[in-house]
Amino acid sequence: MLIETRAIVLHSFKYGEQKLIVDMLTEQEGRVSFVVSATRPGKPPRGRAARGKVAKQLLQPMTLLDASYERRPTAQLQTLTEAHLRQPYCSIPFDARKLSITLFLAEFLCYATRAEQQNAALFAYIESSLLWLDSCTASFANFHLVFLMRLTRFVGFFPNIEHYAEGDFFDLRAANFCHAAPLHTDFLAPADAQRISTLMRMNYDSMHLFRMSHADRNRIIDVLLHYYRLHVPNFPELRSLPVLKELWATE
């Protein structure tokens, strides 16, 4: 069965001498892993040999593609037959801060969406978020925080903020605010709970209005990743996190 779909590259690694294993989030079927015959930059495939070969530069993390493949239900690895750049980025590859953010998000999504089935709303959210970041010219220091928090709407554990009051605790397991500390240790004291409440009021267009220090951002990202670990099985420490934490260190 031929599948034609939009796709976002999350991760790739070498497989044998001339092939790559590439994990993608697709609009049509959620997470799919492909085996790909990749060509070197500057040497596009030609003629009959072109089928099944993809330029290696198209397989960089968070690249937006139009992809096609023959779906084999029993195969763990699908064979990518064609891939074309859907939307080139104008600024992300050339801006060290934006690139660091997208590399962090690629690693994060690799684990956060590992078991994700077809979810068009999730795919649209991620794609539109990347395009927003690419077009943004300033004031995107809180982007990754807003992205992680709003993503919880699509993966099933968006916090319940209906009854929040100043001084409340936040139960990370139950994903809600409470007037007293729960009986387990996975909760936020009122100061951190207030940060979560503030974050939940942000969106990409308004986040520049909320002033945060470098320490605030790093504390919030630690809290959010702990929150995801409680709700996503086998969610590991992220290797890209230390680099992300160095951003805006002088602000």
Side-chain angles (χ1 to χ4, degrees), residues 8-203:
I8 302 170
V9 178
L10 299 179
H11 176 67
S12 65
F13 59 92
K14 192 172 182 181
Y15 176 67
E17 290 299 318
Q18 298 181 336
K19 295 184 178 181
L20 296 173
I21 302 297
V22 184
D23 293 319
M24 298 188 194
L25 183 69
T26 71
E27 183 181 34
Q28 295 296 323
E29 297 201 313
R31 279 291 294 273
V32 182
S33 294
F34 297 94
V35 58
V36 180
S37 297
T39 64
R40 289 179 295 172
K43 291 195 175 184
R46 298 176 180 275
R48 296 179 65 181
R51 183 171 176 79
K53 290 185 179 290
V54 177
K56 196 170 184 178
Q57 61 265 35
L58 296 183
L59 303 176
Q60 299 303 307
M62 301 307 249
T63 303
L64 306 177
L65 300 176
D66 286 319
S68 61
Y69 62 99
E70 290 287 344
R71 183 176 180 273
R72 296 175 295 163
T74 59
Q76 289 187 329
L77 295 174
Q78 304 296 328
T79 300
L80 193 66
T81 55
E82 286 190 77
H84 303 283
L85 190 62
R86 177 175 180 80
Q87 176 73 50
Y89 294 127
C90 297
S91 67
I92 287 175
F94 315 107
D95 185 312
R97 292 180 174 183
K98 289 184 179 182
L99 185 59
S100 296
I101 290 171
T102 54
L103 291 176
F104 166 79
L105 293 181
E107 185 185 10
F108 166 80
L109 289 169
C110 210
Y111 298 106
T113 67
R114 185 163 40 194
E116 197 67 40
Q117 302 298 311
Q118 192 273 344
N119 187 335
L122 170 65
F123 184 92
Y125 167 71
I126 296 171
E127 183 181 60
S128 63
S129 295
L130 290 170
L131 293 175
W132 187 95
L133 178 63
D134 188 55
S135 65
C136 180
T137 57
S139 302
F140 55 87
N142 295 328
F143 175 86
H144 57 295
L145 306 178
V146 176
F147 179 93
L148 264 63
M149 178 55 74
R150 294 175 71 84
L151 186 77
T152 61
R153 290 183 181 273
F154 303 94
V155 294
F157 44 91
F158 184 71
N160 182 350
I161 62 173
E162 185 176 352
H163 302 296
Y164 172 74
E166 187 175 352
D168 278 355
F169 296 77
F170 182 69
D171 187 329
L172 291 163
R173 295 185 187 179
N176 60 27
F177 292 95
C178 46
H179 299 311
L183 298 179
H184 54 76
T185 59
D186 293 317
F187 68 89
L188 300 179
D192 280 334
Q194 186 176 41
R195 289 190 178 100
I196 294 298
S197 175
T198 298
L199 181 60
M200 290 164 62
R201 299 199 303 272
M202 295 184 193
N203 58 44

